[in-house]
Amino acid sequence: MVNKHQVAGYDAFAAFMKDFDGNGAPINVLFTGAKMENGQSWCVDCVEAAPFIERAVETAAPKDSHFIYVDVGDRPTWKDMNNPFRKDKNTHLSVIPTLIRWKNPQRLEGEQCTKTDLLELFFSEED
């Protein structure tokens, strides 16, 4: 079973990743907009991609891997060009949703996160 984790905000994300040890298993990170009271993200693209990503995590991600959901904040926080997720050399986000393999080149952004074939390839690639 994939090990799932959830963090909200840059400071919590940075602290979590600083101490996180995946024990050699792949670490996949999804950056998405914060959820509103209705349980859906304010980010329409994130809402559209969510079922595709969830299905790929269940069917294609290695069973010992880690999947970290990261809430990048509300719309004004995300749209701030000085948002630390945009500046961090490990994340360097320009669009959400973004799915990355931590400290590796694998990366899917925006509309790519709705493509089943790309998601399966992303999760099947070795580091």
Side-chain angles (χ1 to χ4, degrees):
M1 175 184 270
V2 174
N3 301 290
K4 296 180 181 177
H5 314 273
Q6 202 159 0
V7 294
Y10 182 79
D11 292 340
F13 168 72
F16 181 85
M17 295 310 288
K18 178 179 175 275
D19 297 328
F20 187 72
D21 179 8
N23 292 321
I27 300 169
N28 302 298
V29 186
L30 173 65
F31 298 93
T32 186
K35 289 190 173 35
M36 300 180 299
E37 288 181 18
N38 68 5
Q40 289 194 330
S41 173
W42 59 264
C43 170
V44 176
D45 294 338
C46 298
V47 172
E48 183 182 347
F52 294 95
I53 295 168
E54 289 168 17
R55 193 173 318 116
V57 168
E58 297 305 320
T59 62
K63 298 301 178 207
D64 64 339
S65 66
H66 296 274
F67 190 81
I68 305 168
Y69 293 88
V70 181
D71 166 346
V72 300
D74 61 13
R75 184 175 170 78
T77 301
W78 168 247
K79 292 294 184 181
D80 180 350
M81 288 298 121
N82 290 316
N83 182 308
F85 285 110
R86 295 177 183 275
K87 305 284 187 185
D88 187 311
K89 66 178 174 47
N90 291 312
T91 60
H92 199 68
L93 299 183
S94 60
V95 64
I96 54 174
T98 293
L99 179 62
I100 66 170
R101 177 81 42 84
W102 188 245
K103 304 267 181 150
N104 284 278
Q106 292 93 328
R107 181 180 196 98
L108 296 176
E109 297 179 323
E111 195 176 283
Q112 294 175 325
C113 294
T114 64
K115 309 290 185 209
T116 302
D117 56 338
L118 292 178
L119 287 162
E120 288 175 358
L121 183 62
F122 175 91
F123 286 112
S124 67
E125 285 184 328
E126 296 294 320
D127 287 342

PDB file of all heavy atoms in Angstrom, residues 20-35:
ATOM      1  N   PHE A  20      12.014  14.011   6.748  1.00  0.00           N
ATOM      2  CA  PHE A  20      11.378  12.834   6.154  1.00  0.00           C
ATOM      3  C   PHE A  20      12.405  11.865   5.602  1.00  0.00           C
ATOM      4  O   PHE A  20      13.338  12.252   4.908  1.00  0.00           O
ATOM      5  CB  PHE A  20      10.415  13.260   5.048  1.00  0.00           C
ATOM      6  CG  PHE A  20       9.606  12.117   4.514  1.00  0.00           C
ATOM      7  CD1 PHE A  20       8.595  11.566   5.274  1.00  0.00           C
ATOM      8  CD2 PHE A  20       9.873  11.585   3.273  1.00  0.00           C
ATOM      9  CE1 PHE A  20       7.849  10.502   4.802  1.00  0.00           C
ATOM     10  CE2 PHE A  20       9.130  10.531   2.777  1.00  0.00           C
ATOM     11  CZ  PHE A  20       8.119   9.989   3.545  1.00  0.00           C
ATOM     12  N   ASP A  21      12.211  10.595   5.907  1.00  0.00           N
ATOM     13  CA  ASP A  21      13.074   9.532   5.394  1.00  0.00           C
ATOM     14  C   ASP A  21      12.180   8.501   4.726  1.00  0.00           C
ATOM     15  O   ASP A  21      11.398   7.826   5.390  1.00  0.00           O
ATOM     16  CB  ASP A  21      13.871   8.903   6.531  1.00  0.00           C
ATOM     17  CG  ASP A  21      14.767   7.776   6.066  1.00  0.00           C
ATOM     18  OD1 ASP A  21      14.906   7.562   4.845  1.00  0.00           O
ATOM     19  OD2 ASP A  21      15.336   7.089   6.933  1.00  0.00           O
ATOM     20  N   GLY A  22      12.279   8.397   3.429  1.00  0.00           N
ATOM     21  CA  GLY A  22      11.453   7.446   2.693  1.00  0.00           C
ATOM     22  C   GLY A  22      12.013   6.042   2.680  1.00  0.00           C
ATOM     23  O   GLY A  22      11.474   5.166   2.014  1.00  0.00           O
ATOM     24  N   ASN A  23      13.104   5.814   3.413  1.00  0.00           N
ATOM     25  CA  ASN A  23      13.746   4.489   3.468  1.00  0.00           C
ATOM     26  C   ASN A  23      14.045   3.931   2.076  1.00  0.00           C
ATOM     27  O   ASN A  23      13.877   2.741   1.834  1.00  0.00           O
ATOM     28  CB  ASN A  23      12.883   3.504   4.272  1.00  0.00           C
ATOM     29  CG  ASN A  23      12.831   3.869   5.734  1.00  0.00           C
ATOM     30  OD1 ASN A  23      13.820   4.293   6.309  1.00  0.00           O
ATOM     31  ND2 ASN A  23      11.661   3.715   6.323  1.00  0.00           N
ATOM     32  N   GLY A  24      14.466   4.799   1.186  1.00  0.00           N
ATOM     33  CA  GLY A  24      14.851   4.374  -0.155  1.00  0.00           C
ATOM     34  C   GLY A  24      13.702   4.191  -1.131  1.00  0.00           C
ATOM     35  O   GLY A  24      13.932   3.924  -2.307  1.00  0.00           O
ATOM     36  N   ALA A  25      12.467   4.308  -0.669  1.00  0.00           N
ATOM     37  CA  ALA A  25      11.308   4.167  -1.548  1.00  0.00           C
ATOM     38  C   ALA A  25      11.059   5.479  -2.295  1.00  0.00           C
ATOM     39  O   ALA A  25      11.427   6.547  -1.816  1.00  0.00           O
ATOM     40  CB  ALA A  25      10.075   3.788  -0.725  1.00  0.00           C
ATOM     41  N   PRO A  26      10.436   5.404  -3.472  1.00  0.00           N
ATOM     42  CA  PRO A  26      10.133   6.635  -4.211  1.00  0.00           C
ATOM     43  C   PRO A  26       9.247   7.581  -3.390  1.00  0.00           C
ATOM     44  O   PRO A  26       8.340   7.137  -2.683  1.00  0.00           O
ATOM     45  CB  PRO A  26       9.367   6.144  -5.445  1.00  0.00           C
ATOM     46  CG  PRO A  26       9.724   4.696  -5.574  1.00  0.00           C
ATOM     47  CD  PRO A  26       9.993   4.209  -4.185  1.00  0.00           C
ATOM     48  N   ILE A  27       9.534   8.876  -3.507  1.00  0.00           N
ATOM     49  CA  ILE A  27       8.757   9.902  -2.817  1.00  0.00           C
ATOM     50  C   ILE A  27       8.145  10.793  -3.894  1.00  0.00           C
ATOM     51  O   ILE A  27       8.858  11.509  -4.600  1.00  0.00           O
ATOM     52  CB  ILE A  27       9.643  10.738  -1.872  1.00  0.00           C
ATOM     53  CG1 ILE A  27      10.291   9.842  -0.818  1.00  0.00           C
ATOM     54  CG2 ILE A  27       8.833  11.849  -1.216  1.00  0.00           C
ATOM     55  CD1 ILE A  27      11.380  10.529  -0.007  1.00  0.00           C
ATOM     56  N   ASN A  28       6.828  10.718  -4.033  1.00  0.00           N
ATOM     57  CA  ASN A  28       6.096  11.506  -5.017  1.00  0.00           C
ATOM     58  C   ASN A  28       5.326  12.593  -4.288  1.00  0.00           C
ATOM     59  O   ASN A  28       4.720  12.339  -3.253  1.00  0.00           O
ATOM     60  CB  ASN A  28       5.148  10.612  -5.807  1.00  0.00           C
ATOM     61  CG  ASN A  28       5.909   9.498  -6.511  1.00  0.00           C
ATOM     62  OD1 ASN A  28       6.753   9.772  -7.352  1.00  0.00           O
ATOM     63  ND2 ASN A  28       5.641   8.263  -6.145  1.00  0.00           N
ATOM     64  N   VAL A  29       5.373  13.806  -4.836  1.00  0.00           N
ATOM     65  CA  VAL A  29       4.771  14.955  -4.169  1.00  0.00           C
ATOM     66  C   VAL A  29       3.810  15.643  -5.129  1.00  0.00           C
ATOM     67  O   VAL A  29       4.193  15.999  -6.250  1.00  0.00           O
ATOM     68  CB  VAL A  29       5.845  15.952  -3.699  1.00  0.00           C
ATOM     69  CG1 VAL A  29       5.217  17.069  -2.885  1.00  0.00           C
ATOM     70  CG2 VAL A  29       6.951  15.252  -2.902  1.00  0.00           C
ATOM     71  N   LEU A  30       2.571  15.835  -4.677  1.00  0.00           N
ATOM     72  CA  LEU A  30       1.566  16.555  -5.448  1.00  0.00           C
ATOM     73  C   LEU A  30       1.318  17.907  -4.792  1.00  0.00           C
ATOM     74  O   LEU A  30       0.968  17.970  -3.615  1.00  0.00           O
ATOM     75  CB  LEU A  30       0.251  15.773  -5.499  1.00  0.00           C
ATOM     76  CG  LEU A  30      -0.929  16.516  -6.142  1.00  0.00           C
ATOM     77  CD1 LEU A  30      -0.659  16.776  -7.631  1.00  0.00           C
ATOM     78  CD2 LEU A  30      -2.223  15.744  -5.953  1.00  0.00           C
ATOM     79  N   PHE A  31       1.496  18.964  -5.566  1.00  0.00           N
ATOM     80  CA  PHE A  31       1.223  20.319  -5.094  1.00  0.00           C
ATOM     81  C   PHE A  31      -0.124  20.746  -5.669  1.00  0.00           C
ATOM     82  O   PHE A  31      -0.330  20.686  -6.889  1.00  0.00           O
ATOM     83  CB  PHE A  31       2.328  21.275  -5.555  1.00  0.00           C
ATOM     84  CG  PHE A  31       3.670  20.906  -5.008  1.00  0.00           C
ATOM     85  CD1 PHE A  31       4.527  20.089  -5.727  1.00  0.00           C
ATOM     86  CD2 PHE A  31       4.068  21.348  -3.750  1.00  0.00           C
ATOM     87  CE1 PHE A  31       5.766  19.731  -5.225  1.00  0.00           C
ATOM     88  CE2 PHE A  31       5.306  20.989  -3.236  1.00  0.00           C
ATOM     89  CZ  PHE A  31       6.152  20.183  -3.972  1.00  0.00           C
ATOM     90  N   THR A  32      -1.018  21.147  -4.786  1.00  0.00           N
ATOM     91  CA  THR A  32      -2.380  21.464  -5.180  1.00  0.00           C
ATOM     92  C   THR A  32      -2.915  22.632  -4.362  1.00  0.00           C
ATOM     93  O   THR A  32      -2.361  22.948  -3.305  1.00  0.00           O
ATOM     94  CB  THR A  32      -3.269  20.207  -5.030  1.00  0.00           C
ATOM     95  OG1 THR A  32      -4.559  20.465  -5.529  1.00  0.00           O
ATOM     96  CG2 THR A  32      -3.346  19.741  -3.602  1.00  0.00           C
ATOM     97  N   GLY A  33      -3.973  23.254  -4.844  1.00  0.00           N
ATOM     98  CA  GLY A  33      -4.574  24.370  -4.132  1.00  0.00           C
ATOM     99  C   GLY A  33      -5.331  23.909  -2.896  1.00  0.00           C
ATOM    100  O   GLY A  33      -5.834  22.780  -2.838  1.00  0.00           O
ATOM    101  N   ALA A  34      -5.421  24.781  -1.909  1.00  0.00           N
ATOM    102  CA  ALA A  34      -6.126  24.481  -0.658  1.00  0.00           C
ATOM    103  C   ALA A  34      -7.584  24.135  -0.944  1.00  0.00           C
ATOM    104  O   ALA A  34      -8.187  24.625  -1.899  1.00  0.00           O
ATOM    105  CB  ALA A  34      -6.057  25.678   0.284  1.00  0.00           C
ATOM    106  N   LYS A  35      -8.140  23.297  -0.105  1.00  0.00           N
ATOM    107  CA  LYS A  35      -9.544  22.936  -0.222  1.00  0.00           C
ATOM    108  C   LYS A  35     -10.412  23.999   0.457  1.00  0.00           C
ATOM    109  O   LYS A  35     -10.068  24.529   1.498  1.00  0.00           O
ATOM    110  CB  LYS A  35      -9.783  21.571   0.399  1.00  0.00           C
ATOM    111  CG  LYS A  35      -9.186  20.446  -0.436  1.00  0.00           C
ATOM    112  CD  LYS A  35      -9.638  19.103   0.071  1.00  0.00           C
ATOM    113  CE  LYS A  35      -9.247  17.940  -0.789  1.00  0.00           C
ATOM    114  NZ  LYS A  35      -8.048  17.908  -1.485  1.00  0.00           N
TER     115      LYS A  35
END
